[in-house]
Amino acid sequence: MQRTEDLTREELTAALEWYAKMVLSRRFEDAAERAFRHGKIGGYLHVYSGQEAVAAGLLSAIRKDDIFFTAYRDHAHALYSGSPPGAVMAELYGKATGLAKGKGGSMHLFDASRGFYGGYGIVGGHIPLATGAAYTLRYLDTDRLCLCFLGDGAMNSGSFHEPANMAGLWGRDGLCPIVYIVENNQYAMGTSVSRSSAVANLASRFLAYEIENERADGMDYFTVRRVASRVINQVRETGRPYAVEMLTYRFAGHGAADLFQPYRNRGEVTDARTRDPITLLEDRLRAAELLTDADVERIRREAEHAVEQAVKFADESPEPAADELFKDVYGS
Amino acid sequence: MPELTYREALRSTLVEEMDRDRAVVLIGEDIGVYQGTFRVTADLLERFGPKRVIDTPISELGFVGAAIGMAMLGLHPVVEVMTWNFALLAFDQIVNNAAKIRYFSGGQVNVPIVIRGPNGAGVQLSAQHSQSLEATFAHFPGLFVVTPATPAEAKGLLRTAIRGNDPVIFLENAALYGMKGEVPDGNFALPFGRADVARVGKDVTVVAYGRMLHLALAVATQLLEEGIDAEVINLRTLRPLDTETVVSSVSKTHRAVVVQEQWKPFGAAGEIAATIYEHAFDELDAPVERVTGADVPMPYARSLELLAVPHEGDVIKAIKRTLYKDGIKG
Ligand SMILES: Cc1ncc(C[n+]2csc(CCOP(=O)(O)OP(=O)(O)O)c2C)c(N)n1
Ligand SMILES: [Mg+2]
């Protein structure tokens, strides 16, 4: 864990905003789960609770013109990149005011105007897209870069290995400014990493493709943020891919339908919760005297209020018009 | 009008479009140093450099997916698959990403990608290398499916594909690469969804596309001697399908034969026949006939392979059945 004493005043102060965003996204996920139980949200719902420090640490370190791709556990990524909570919730509700006009749902959040290129439901299927997107950023002679979030489970698919090899090749010519972020939350649905990967150290699997890599504590915002800043600077500089394996944990079930979780015991979850990324960050900011009880109260209240507003907005928003059904299939 | 081969028509269009727009890039296996499996991309690496003519590892999923990502960011990649059989390894990328991203993002991004390569049987390439996959792809909303049958169509349809905003499944044919034909100069382009009446006739409508067009035209010429005047419709694109041209022809001839190289069940001919029934049932004087490949994996032996693909005789028989002349001859 990054030692608080080693952090600069700027790093600590800048983290306040991200603490608030993490509190907001946790409240957002709680509200989404409630709405799912009440039948307001359909389909699949995968929440991010427990993993906040990973997306927050990475997305706080990129530039406004950088881009990113992720899988279906994507609500926090959208919120952190600035999508309005109301539009995110409305997308979960399948409403016309949603980020994608209600056509994508929870798994396909998308906000290209903020660099968020989706939200994908086929495990691993977005990894080649992100890799080609990274190539394009260099092809267009920019110094923008691409983040590709992926799960531990996704690393076992061919759609990981093929683009990873291509990224290694393109990186030789400085043509692949991408950071692969493996969000190792220990499970792919009910299959633990030890039961699905022949190698325990997932970061090391990038060695096969000459991609520099490291693993880090994904529960500690400051650790993630420090790694992110350094890696992002390097990738922007070199145009070579880099991989970080963030060790984290999913507090909730895989999805809203994963009620009994026979693949893990309660104790394991309770233990993991002792290192809740939000509490960890809160404690450090308190220790640095940047956060008082009153601040925490206020931030929580504001988050609750923002989420209530988002839910209200989603609830009151209109359904998509029937003629939307056939729109957006083709762009020609 | 200059005479070009189908291959030259494709290649010159790539050159013209790459000269016009730096967003057009080529990506695929052995398209650069090796000059392309069918030499469609010959010399293009030298001309445009490795950033724009990207040789890839044997990673269909990887490079088709990467090209989709490029398209989302504003490039116009033209992907070569060595043959369409190999594109099955990229099937997920094509149908789950290329065809759907525009829709599920609510129209936030386009995916202007062209995937091209030879489709259908060659000569003795056997089961894994001889498939006709047009109906497989034409099934999916979000894709365009294009089947150029002549050098002019190769040029005109490729230009439209590259200049469009959507994913295009561009199905060439190995047997056609050497075919010569007149090709209009300049920025010649052919619209999607507009079929061509390749031969005007009055007795029966023969609907074909891709290589099967030439089979249909040969049969039409042959049958003239027997006093049968067939109209031949060349679809050019399967998705969108030019229902109007097909239906108006059938409304004139009252008989229809659909020819396809692929297997019969759930194929393009079935779809076209159903379309005719839906729009012109009352016009028909006979059931719609389908001429198709045999419903087996392609065999290797030349003698068996010849039995597995449609022949002139099959089309002639089908035409005569629609005219109730099948008892007379053939
Ligand atoms: C190709 C594919 N196979 C199976 C599934 C079903 N599925 C959805 S999520 C998931 C687990 C993925 O785990 P991981 O990549 O670790 O991501 P996490 O859910 O932990 O965020 C599976 C098997 C799928 N969506 N896509
Ligand atoms: Mg996982």
Side-chain angles (χ1 to χ4, degrees), chain A residues 25-26 28-34 36-37 41-52 70-79 88-89 92 104-109 116 119-123 183 185 187-190 250-258 263:
Chain A
S25 77
R26 179 72 61 86
F28 184 97
E29 298 294 44
D30 293 345
E33 286 188 307
R34 275 196 303 277
F36 184 89
R37 283 195 298 273
I41 295 173
Y44 295 139
L45 182 80
H46 313 88
V47 300
Y48 198 59
S49 308
Q51 301 177 219
E52 290 90 346
T70 188
Y72 44 82
R73 202 178 293 287
D74 55 359
H75 312 160
H77 300 71
L79 295 171
V88 179
M89 191 62 86
L92 272 48
S106 162
M107 295 190 287
H108 301 300
L109 296 180
F116 183 14
Y120 296 85
I122 306 296
V123 171
E183 301 203 47
N185 62 6
Y187 292 96
M189 286 184 63
R250 137 164 90 61
F251 291 167
H254 165 70
D258 178 16
Y263 51 88

Side-chain angles (χ1 to χ4, degrees), chain A residues 99-101 103-104 108 110-112 120 122 125 128-129 132 135-136 139 159 162 175 325 327-332, chain B residues 22 25 51-52 54 59 61-62 65-66 68-70 72 93 97 102-106 108 142-143 165-166 239:
Chain A
L99 279 182
K101 304 193 256 179
K103 291 181 177 177
H108 301 300
F110 210 107
D111 195 347
Y120 296 85
I122 306 296
L129 306 182
Y135 182 94
T136 307
Y139 181 85
S159 45
E162 293 193 8
L175 286 171
L325 178 62
K327 289 187 184 161
D328 300 323
V329 180
Y330 294 99
S332 302
Chain B
R22 191 173 171 266
V25 299
K51 259 188 172 179
R52 297 189 69 189
I54 308 163
S59 303
L61 182 174
I68 296 167
M70 292 174 183
M72 292 171 73
Q93 289 299 319
N97 285 336
R102 185 169 210 286
Y103 193 78
F104 69 55
S105 71
Q108 291 182 59
L143 301 178
N165 293 322
D166 296 295
R239 192 188 256 275

Side-chain angles (χ1 to χ4, degrees), chain B residues 81-194:
Chain B
V81 286
M82 272 189 185
T83 84
W84 272 94
N85 302 283
F86 313 139
L88 294 176
L89 283 98
F91 198 61
D92 169 57
Q93 289 299 319
I94 298 169
V95 309
N96 276 321
N97 285 336
K100 296 181 174 61
I101 287 171
R102 185 169 210 286
Y103 193 78
F104 69 55
S105 71
Q108 291 182 59
V109 291
N110 289 323
V111 185
I113 180 181
V114 181
I115 310 176
R116 50 154 292 273
N119 176 56
V123 178
Q124 287 196 278
L125 300 180
S126 65
Q128 294 183 326
H129 286 72
S130 303
Q131 300 172 96
S132 294
L133 294 168
E134 58 272 22
T136 307
F137 290 102
H139 187 58
F140 292 93
L143 301 178
F144 286 135
V145 178
V146 178
T147 54
T150 66
E153 288 175 13
K155 169 156 297 231
L157 293 170
L158 183 58
R159 179 147 11 246
T160 301
I162 294 174
R163 293 193 182 181
N165 293 322
D166 296 295
V168 179
I169 304 299
F170 197 89
L171 303 167
E172 300 162 7
N173 191 286
L176 296 179
Y177 284 128
M179 177 195 175
K180 282 191 173 169
E182 295 204 324
V183 179
D185 270 325
N187 278 334
F188 172 67
L190 286 170
F192 290 176
R194 202 86 49 83

Side-chain angles (χ1 to χ4, degrees), chain A residues 23-283:
Chain A
V23 171
L24 173 81
S25 77
R26 179 72 61 86
R27 292 290 194 280
F28 184 97
E29 298 294 44
D30 293 345
E33 286 188 307
R34 275 196 303 277
F36 184 89
R37 283 195 298 273
H38 292 146
K40 296 279 189 181
I41 295 173
Y44 295 139
L45 182 80
H46 313 88
V47 300
Y48 198 59
S49 308
Q51 301 177 219
E52 290 90 346
V54 180
L58 266 300
L59 293 171
S60 65
I62 60 172
R63 269 188 350 215
K64 271 208 163 353
D65 59 348
D66 290 331
I67 63 170
F68 63 98
F69 291 71
T70 188
Y72 44 82
R73 202 178 293 287
D74 55 359
H75 312 160
H77 300 71
L79 295 171
Y80 297 164
S81 64
S83 303
V88 179
M89 191 62 86
E91 188 59 35
L92 272 48
Y93 273 58
K95 295 297 184 75
T97 53
L99 279 182
K101 304 193 256 179
K103 291 181 177 177
S106 162
M107 295 190 287
H108 301 300
L109 296 180
F110 210 107
D111 195 347
S113 69
R114 294 183 171 83
F116 183 14
Y117 279 84
Y120 296 85
I122 306 296
V123 171
H126 65 297
I127 305 170
L129 306 182
T131 307
Y135 182 94
T136 307
L137 297 175
R138 276 294 150 121
Y139 181 85
L140 297 172
D141 299 320
T142 75
D143 67 344
R144 299 160 67 196
L145 56 75
C146 178
L147 302 184
C148 179
F149 294 90
L150 58 137
D152 48 279
M155 279 195 75
N156 301 315
S157 72
S159 45
F160 162 72
H161 291 277
E162 293 193 8
N165 180 50
M166 287 161 56
L169 288 166
W170 291 347
R172 287 184 198 162
D173 301 320
L175 286 171
C176 204
I178 190 166
V179 185
Y180 296 106
I181 303 117
V182 180
E183 301 203 47
N184 181 355
N185 62 6
Q186 320 295 333
Y187 292 96
M189 286 184 63
T191 305
S192 64
V193 170
S194 65
R195 292 202 299 132
S196 58
S197 174
V199 176
N201 183 326
L202 299 184
S204 75
R205 294 172 73 177
F206 286 89
L207 282 174
Y209 305 115
E210 291 278 346
I211 295 175
E212 253 189 282
N213 61 83
E214 63 189 276
R215 13 169 46 182
D217 176 2
M219 298 307 253
D220 178 36
Y221 170 81
F222 285 113
T223 303
V224 178
R225 176 58 214 246
R226 274 270 174 112
V227 170
S229 300
R230 171 170 45 77
V231 166
I232 283 167
N233 282 338
Q234 177 180 324
V235 169
R236 203 184 297 288
E237 188 72 24
T238 61
R240 293 174 67 101
Y242 200 105
V244 292
E245 176 191 359
M246 291 296 174
L247 296 164
T248 182
Y249 199 80
R250 137 164 90 61
F251 291 167
H254 165 70
D258 178 16
L259 298 176
F260 304 110
Q261 303 176 32
Y263 51 88
R264 63 183 184 184
N265 58 46
R266 283 251 158 264
E268 185 182 303
V269 183
T270 318
D271 283 353
R273 278 186 184 274
T274 61
R275 291 194 78 240
D276 185 318
I278 297 178
T279 319
L280 286 185
L281 179 55
E282 189 179 304
D283 290 348

